[in-house]
Amino acid sequence: MLLYFKIADYYDIIDHPNERSSHTEITIRGGGVIYVFAALAGVILHSEFWLPILGMLIIGTISFIDDRISLSNKIRLIFHLTAVTLLFIFLNVFHLFPIWMSIILYIFVIGIINAYNFMDGINGITGVYSLVVLGGLQYVNYNTREFIKPDMIWLPILASVVFLFFNFRKKAKCFAGDVGSVTIAFWIIFLLLKLMIQTSNYAYILFLAVYGVDAIFTIVHRLMLKENIFEAHRLHFYQILANDQNWEHIWVSSIYAIVQLAIVAIVILLPLNFWFLFVLTTVPLALIYIYLKPKMMFKVD
């Protein structure tokens, strides 16, 4: 990370604040490249995972380029589709599911990756949220069902800890950038899909419930406002809290992580039907979003 800081400083890889940003100072962008190096360590330690890790490197590389020069949505989509295809080949998706379901999975996975990227807008949120999800997956891996080599979860956990050392503070030393949020999103999707396919327990997707509710309901909100959902904005619930209500970034990030941690615990400890767990965890989040967001959409001096 320290080496990257020198490179970023030399090549002017920085994030300039604008009217849509949740920060006010020039900050190094692309600190999430640490996840790419974690992926490289993963393929060195466990070469059998070369196919999904190649996908991570492809999607991470194009995202890093996009951090430097803005690429068109079509170019990014081509690389995202390539990376997800490699992941699906490794997980044997095309043999396990019919073609129509594979197409739905493409939309689902690419949607989650982009939603994870959209949610990366304040200090600490990507790192602490990812730690919670990865921690839950590692708990399952050790105590419920061993579905992957533990290193493949420890590596992104360690990368998150290193990243948070520089990001989880009032004045962040660096931001994840697309390279960070997209790469860790791909990694988490890889782990979740592998776990769900092996266990046939789709309740594990609720490990992403908090991000899912905020991202989906914000998209609906923006569509109602007839906005371009692919353009930058400040309408996510976490952005309202940080920007309109002036809550400290680290507190907002911590709240999101704690709520998600509670949901992870419910999913792991309560062996209930998926739909019951969905109603128990996701419906309250949706009601909170619908009720509180309109009340908080005003500036606090």
Side-chain angles (χ1 to χ4, degrees):
M1 281 292 283
L2 294 174
L3 175 61
Y4 174 73
F5 285 174
K6 293 182 181 296
I7 295 172
D9 186 58
Y10 182 82
Y11 286 102
D12 199 34
I13 308 175
I14 56 178
D15 203 336
H16 294 276
N18 55 50
E19 69 278 3
R20 299 293 181 91
S21 304
S22 296
H23 61 284
T24 57
E25 297 182 359
I26 294 175
T27 310
I28 291 175
R29 174 188 288 187
V33 73
I34 190 72
Y35 292 112
V36 175
F37 286 105
L40 289 171
V43 77
I44 292 170
L45 291 172
H46 302 288
S47 59
E48 65 269 29
F49 295 109
W50 71 271
L51 210 52
I53 290 176
L54 177 59
M56 289 181 209
L57 297 178
I58 289 172
I59 207 167
T61 300
I62 196 63
S63 298
F64 185 77
I65 294 172
D66 192 40
D67 280 333
R68 294 288 291 127
I69 54 172
S70 184
L71 300 174
S72 71
N73 291 332
K74 291 181 180 179
I75 293 176
R76 290 199 304 271
L77 181 60
I78 290 171
F79 283 90
H80 284 208
L81 286 171
T82 301
V84 174
T85 299
L86 294 175
L87 175 60
F88 284 2
I89 292 171
F90 177 81
L91 294 174
N92 210 25
V93 165
F94 302 115
H95 290 90
L96 293 173
F97 303 106
I99 185 65
W100 65 268
M101 190 173 291
S102 298
I103 293 172
I104 291 174
L105 270 177
Y106 268 109
I107 298 170
F108 181 70
V109 169
I110 292 176
I112 290 178
I113 290 171
N114 282 280
Y116 217 95
N117 187 27
F118 295 155
M119 293 298 294
D120 179 37
I122 59 174
N123 298 352
I125 195 166
T126 292
V128 293
Y129 192 86
S130 298
L131 270 184
V132 166
V133 177
L134 292 165
L137 287 167
Q138 192 69 294
Y139 181 91
V140 171
N141 197 40
Y142 276 121
N143 297 282
T144 305
R145 172 70 175 268
E146 184 177 353
F147 66 97
I148 199 165
K149 298 283 187 183
D151 287 344
M152 293 302 293
I153 306 179
W154 284 126
L155 283 168
I157 285 177
L158 290 173
S160 296
V161 171
V162 172
F163 173 68
L164 283 171
F165 179 77
F166 299 101
N167 179 257
F168 192 65
R169 53 180 76 189
K170 187 173 182 178
K171 294 182 179 181
K173 297 291 185 182
C174 69
F175 296 141
D178 288 357
V179 62
S181 57
V182 168
T183 304
I184 190 57
F186 186 92
W187 203 324
I188 286 173
I189 282 293
F190 161 49
L191 296 172
L192 282 171
L193 283 179
K194 195 170 192 306
L195 174 59
M196 289 189 290
I197 288 172
Q198 288 191 15
T199 62
S200 297
N201 183 358
Y202 302 109
Y204 289 117
I205 195 61
L206 297 175
F207 278 26
L208 298 176
V210 176
Y211 265 21
V213 168
D214 195 336
I216 292 171
F217 275 76
T218 300
I219 289 173
V220 172
H221 185 192
R222 298 192 70 205
L223 288 173
M224 292 171 63
L225 295 174
K226 299 182 179 180
E227 294 183 358
N228 185 343
I229 63 173
F230 298 105
E231 290 182 352
H233 64 95
R234 294 175 61 161
L235 280 178
H236 280 294
F237 191 37
Y238 77 86
Q239 291 173 315
I240 300 299
L241 295 175
N243 299 321
D244 292 24
Q245 296 297 313
N246 295 328
W247 290 20
E248 290 287 348
H249 287 200
I250 58 175
W251 286 111
V252 177
S253 299
S254 298
I255 290 169
Y256 269 61
I258 291 168
V259 174
Q260 186 60 66
L261 178 61
I263 294 174
V264 167
I266 289 171
V267 172
I268 292 174
L269 300 177
L270 298 181
L272 301 173
N273 174 273
F274 167 74
W275 290 110
F276 188 85
L277 286 171
F278 178 84
V279 171
L280 181 64
T281 60
T282 308
V283 171
L285 290 177
L287 293 175
I288 290 171
Y289 183 101
I290 294 169
Y291 178 75
L292 287 182
K293 184 179 177 181
K295 295 179 178 295
M296 293 187 167
M297 287 184 63
F298 60 88
K299 283 285 186 180
V300 175
D301 292 332

